[in-house]
Amino acid sequence: MDGNLVLVVNSGSSSIKYQLVDPASGAVEAAGLVERIGEAGGAIEHRTDGRTVSEQVSIPDHTAGLRLAFAKFAETGHDLTAAGVTAVGHRVVHGGEVFYRPTLVDAGVLAAIEDLSALAPLHNPANVRGIEAVCTLLPNVPQVAVFDTAFFHGLPDAAKTYAIDAKVAETHGIRRYGFHGTSHEYVSGRVAEFLGRPAGSLNQIVFHLGNGASVSALRGGRPVDTSMGLTPLEGLVMGTRSGDLDPGIILHLMRTAHLDVNGVDRLLNRGSGLRGMAGVNDFRELRRLIGEGDDNARLAYDVYVHRLRRYLGAYLIELGGVDAITFTAGVGENNPDVRADALAGLSRFGIAVDPDRNTAKDRSARRISPLDAEVEVLVVPTNEELAIARAAAAVTATV
Ligand code: ADP
């Protein structure tokens, strides 16, 4: 196996996604998903050299999950412990005020990531479990934490400050942190490359529309606003998350429906968004239901698009004009209706979508605005794994 490969690990509460990537070329040597860790029906799916190996097996914890993944690497001719892996890059969701660049992991860093768990109770502990597991399996390979919040560290004060009691905010670390930063950074960089213009010269709006969804406004390559806040719950309508709502709704539900903290958490994080309104969280399912004439699905779609347009309007004004609007992630890359509806009727702002370009079956970075439009509208596939691999390689190259 070739040297200089990076193992990228995205460790969630009950799953681990991983990829073995060549950071220079972007080639993916192998990739996989370990699911239902600590639950019934544990499973792994490992893909390499055009074939997929699957197994159903009980997976008690993250170490067992990664051990299983390492076994699949070995079985398929990529023994990770033998050669080639120069770094491991971990996606870590919350870096708080502490971490704002990719960071080489040591015991102190690991403890600090664990300490930030109050801000990301589902994510940070799972990220820590993943790092600990890799420490056991690859003790001599440097590990780098790449934070979802880091790109937004320098948000202007006016954009990151919530209008609540300043002392309460300071004591509890309450501010807008932003998430999906690795994707927003990668995609906005690709936009500059695609257009052949320096990132510093561009005003951009980037819509990352996956299961989770967020939008960012960038001036000269740096974010000036983003839709996710203290947690990844704020902002756009998502698969299962509400995004923005009146905080009074929470008080009302606590008083009248007697929901406790877990009940509110479940409702807003898992039982809202498209799933809450239409019963499905997958966009393909939503489109199918709309095709069958389902009114709830239609309304959910309309609410989703309405929220996109509300943010678009806000960010257009914050930036004072935009050079490029870009769609990325599962829905953004694959759903032409969302792109067309989000930008419909905006020609007076120089914004238009060309119907043929928008519906062309093309998977690469592409322009979907008419050639003579003032604002470039683009579709750019995100690649968070490659961005993490490159960040990890850059950090380890300097130590
Ligand atoms: P995440 O990484 O947040 O889990 P993704 O970026 O993979 O999410 O996006 C998942 C969403 O993208 C789902 O709602 C799914 O329906 C949608 N999606 C993925 N592929 C397609 C496709 N080919 N056509 C339409 N929607 C798609």
Side-chain angles (χ1 to χ4, degrees):
M1 184 166 59
D2 195 12
N4 294 326
L5 297 173
V6 176
L7 178 66
V8 177
V9 177
N10 182 352
S11 174
S13 52
S14 66
S15 71
I16 302 171
K17 283 189 217 156
Y18 59 87
Q19 264 192 22
L20 186 63
V21 187
D22 180 338
S25 69
V28 178
E29 301 282 326
L33 172 65
V34 181
E35 285 185 291
R36 290 185 286 283
I37 297 169
E39 301 169 7
I44 183 169
E45 193 175 279
H46 183 86
R47 300 183 303 279
T48 188
D49 304 327
R51 59 199 172 105
T52 301
V53 192
S54 312
E55 191 181 334
Q56 307 252 320
V57 54
S58 153
I59 305 167
D61 56 28
H62 286 74
T63 306
L66 275 167
R67 208 181 284 286
L68 186 63
F70 276 48
K72 296 294 167 224
F73 273 108
E75 282 170 29
T76 53
H78 296 299
D79 185 351
L80 290 182
T81 54
V85 180
T86 51
V88 181
H90 292 270
R91 176 183 184 217
V92 177
V93 166
H94 219 305
E97 297 276 7
V98 188
F99 298 108
Y100 48 90
R101 55 171 67 103
T103 304
L104 193 66
V105 176
D106 59 20
V109 168
L110 200 58
I113 295 172
E114 183 107 57
D115 282 349
L116 289 166
S117 293
L119 289 171
L122 293 179
H123 294 102
N124 273 36
N127 302 151
V128 169
R129 299 290 92 75
I131 296 172
E132 287 171 340
V134 177
C135 279
T136 317
L137 295 163
L138 287 177
N140 300 317
V141 178
Q143 301 197 56
V144 177
V146 180
F147 297 91
D148 234 35
T149 48
F151 185 54
F152 298 112
H153 179 74
L155 278 183
D157 289 344
K160 76 178 185 197
T161 305
Y162 288 105
I164 63 165
D165 182 289
K167 277 207 194 63
V168 172
E170 195 188 334
T171 307
H172 298 283
I174 294 176
R175 48 157 281 203
R176 178 171 285 110
Y177 291 93
F179 297 85
H180 290 147
T182 307
S183 178
H184 286 280
E185 183 173 18
Y186 174 83
V187 168
S188 57
R190 290 278 297 119
V191 167
E193 275 171 32
F194 180 87
L195 297 175
R197 293 174 59 181
S201 72
L202 295 172
N203 281 0
Q204 296 194 41
I205 295 175
V206 176
F207 285 100
H208 174 110
L209 308 179
N211 267 319
S214 63
V215 50
S216 63
L218 297 96
R219 180 177 289 121
R222 301 301 312 163
V224 295
D225 210 344
T226 191
S227 58
M228 284 178 165
L230 174 80
T231 73
L233 182 54
E234 193 180 356
L236 302 177
V237 176
M238 306 179 219
T240 66
R241 289 174 239 163
S242 61
D244 293 338
L245 40 73
D246 175 355
I249 292 171
I250 297 171
L251 307 178
H252 181 71
L253 285 172
M254 290 171 79
R255 288 198 193 102
T256 57
H258 306 294
L259 287 186
D260 63 5
V261 66
N262 291 326
V264 174
D265 192 339
R266 252 197 317 279
L267 177 77
L268 299 183
N269 275 304
R270 295 174 195 270
S272 296
L274 301 178
R275 181 187 286 166
M277 290 183 285
V280 295
N281 63 292
D282 190 295
F283 226 87
R284 284 166 287 204
E285 289 287 296
L286 189 79
R287 301 301 299 168
R288 186 182 56 74
L289 290 177
I290 291 171
E292 291 169 4
D294 185 311
D295 289 341
N296 292 333
R298 181 76 238 172
L299 177 62
Y301 179 83
D302 290 346
V303 174
Y304 185 97
V305 170
H306 178 81
R307 192 78 55 85
L308 297 180
R309 292 173 66 88
R310 179 188 279 178
Y311 271 91
L312 175 68
Y315 288 179
L316 268 175
I317 299 303
E318 281 187 38
L319 290 168
V322 68
D323 300 297
I325 298 171
T326 304
F327 292 89
T328 193
V331 177
E333 290 169 31
N334 295 301
N335 199 304
D337 293 345
V338 165
R339 300 190 294 253
D341 291 339
L343 304 186
L346 301 179
S347 54
R348 73 170 63 180
F349 300 101
I351 298 168
V353 170
D354 178 285
D356 291 336
R357 290 166 181 268
N358 188 33
T359 49
K361 297 263 172 274
D362 184 350
R363 316 284 302 171
S364 52
R366 59 200 185 274
R367 177 184 278 111
I368 58 168
S369 43
L371 273 185
D372 58 355
E374 209 178 301
V375 176
E376 306 276 2
V377 182
L378 307 175
V379 178
V380 173
T382 192
N383 192 340
E384 287 163 285
E385 290 79 11
L386 178 58
I388 291 171
R390 289 193 171 148
V395 169
T396 52
T398 61
V399 294

